[in-house]
Amino acid sequence: MISISTSDNRIKQFFIQIGEISFFAGRFFKESVRPPYEINEFLRQCYNVGNRSVPLVSITGFIIGLVLTLQTRPTLEEFGAVSWMPAMVGISIVREIGPVVIALICAGRIASGMGAELGSMRVTEQIDAMEVSGTNPFKYLVVTRILATTFMVPILVIYGDALALYGSFLIENIKGNVSFTLYFNQVFNSLEFGDLIPATIKTFFFGFAIGLVGCFKGYNTRKGTAGVGLAANSAVVMASMLIFLLDFVAVVISDIFYDL
């Protein structure tokens, strides 16, 4: 009886949280189109989300290209298909590996940071003070952060993809003496708009999910300072799960269009 009631409570809490996030997202869309617009705060959040994530994204993207090429090249050599390496790496990174891995890295850094920042503001009653003073804390704190992640994560993904391809080129240049022009000509000849467009579009949804979850967890923090750490941790977990779910949906939709 105890285990059944516990599982029922977890299922109930799950659907309650889904409803709360949906209401939170609806409020975001309503507030985002209603003036006044916090342009300066939006630009500041773009700097925080984008510029401060560049070092981590740079290292991650570069190592992705190095490791993927080092791991795959021996297998292709056995089949005499080393010439296919640029095309294989380019399609793999642009279509799937780059967007998902970079988005997960951003979820770990950005969602946790937003959850902790807004959570600390909530438990120290700074958000309540903003409401009492007549300002709109939701528009100033939440809308600007979600918009910033929505627009900056795709840029970070494109930047990470470029570094991953460059890392792959370095290995090919060292191992196979492949020139820069030859390598990237093969990469771009293998890519089509059907590869680039879906991969780019889904990164906007990744960014929106990261910002939405991070702000939701932080804005609704309870239980004092202990809740701040819980909000940051749960924001990373939920944002990562949403990224995988959105990626699966994007792949299914893309596959349907390819069949058509």
Side-chain angles (χ1 to χ4, degrees):
M1 293 295 293
I2 296 177
S3 61
I4 293 176
S5 62
T6 302
S7 62
D8 290 341
N9 289 333
R10 288 178 179 176
I11 294 173
K12 181 180 178 180
Q13 290 298 323
F14 171 77
F15 284 107
I16 289 174
Q17 193 167 67
I18 294 297
E20 290 175 346
I21 292 178
S22 301
F23 178 79
F24 194 81
R27 186 180 177 186
F28 160 76
F29 287 116
K30 182 175 69 174
E31 294 285 354
S32 61
V33 297
R34 179 185 298 173
Y37 305 109
E38 302 289 347
I39 303 298
N40 291 333
E41 178 63 15
F42 166 70
L43 295 176
R44 190 176 76 85
Q45 292 302 323
C46 286
Y47 173 81
N48 291 335
V49 171
N51 186 68
R52 294 184 178 179
S53 300
V54 166
L56 185 59
V57 171
S58 300
I59 296 172
T60 303
F62 188 69
I63 292 177
I64 287 174
L66 294 177
V67 172
L68 182 61
T69 306
L70 285 173
Q71 292 287 344
T72 309
R73 202 173 197 281
T75 303
L76 294 181
E77 283 180 339
E78 293 181 2
F79 295 95
V82 181
S83 60
W84 288 95
M85 175 64 70
M88 187 277 296
V89 171
I91 293 174
S92 300
I93 289 176
V94 171
R95 289 185 62 175
E96 191 64 27
I97 298 176
V100 173
V101 174
I102 300 300
L104 290 174
I105 293 297
C106 291
R109 182 201 173 277
I110 299 169
S112 62
M114 289 182 176
E117 184 180 10
L118 294 183
S120 63
M121 294 180 70
R122 171 65 73 182
V123 299
T124 56
E125 300 182 350
Q126 295 181 49
I127 295 178
D128 297 332
M130 293 177 67
E131 292 174 347
V132 171
S133 64
T135 60
N136 187 345
F138 191 93
K139 179 180 286 291
Y140 185 81
L141 299 175
V142 174
V143 173
T144 55
R145 283 168 169 79
I146 296 178
L147 288 176
T149 56
T150 302
F151 288 104
M152 294 308 297
V153 168
I155 296 175
L156 291 172
V157 169
I158 294 173
Y159 173 71
D161 288 349
L163 283 180
L165 292 174
Y166 183 73
S168 176
F169 155 72
L170 289 180
I171 299 298
E172 281 297 288
N173 181 259
I174 295 171
K175 297 274 188 178
N177 197 25
V178 178
S179 67
F180 182 88
T181 303
L182 176 60
Y183 182 87
F184 281 95
N185 279 341
Q186 293 185 9
V187 168
F188 291 120
N189 287 335
S190 64
L191 292 173
E192 301 176 353
F193 282 106
D195 301 318
L196 297 173
I197 294 177
T200 303
I201 291 175
K202 68 182 180 182
T203 57
F204 286 95
F205 290 95
F206 291 166
F208 175 76
I210 292 170
L212 179 69
V213 172
C215 291
F216 170 77
K217 290 294 185 180
Y219 199 79
N220 296 285
T221 299
R222 297 293 183 269
K223 301 179 181 179
T225 55
V228 176
L230 182 62
N233 181 63
S234 58
V236 175
V237 174
M238 182 173 289
S240 300
M241 292 179 63
L242 276 178
I243 287 170
F244 286 122
L245 180 61
L246 290 171
D247 183 60
F248 172 75
V249 173
V251 170
V252 171
I253 294 174
S254 299
D255 188 60
I256 292 174
F257 278 104
Y258 281 135
D259 292 340
L260 295 176

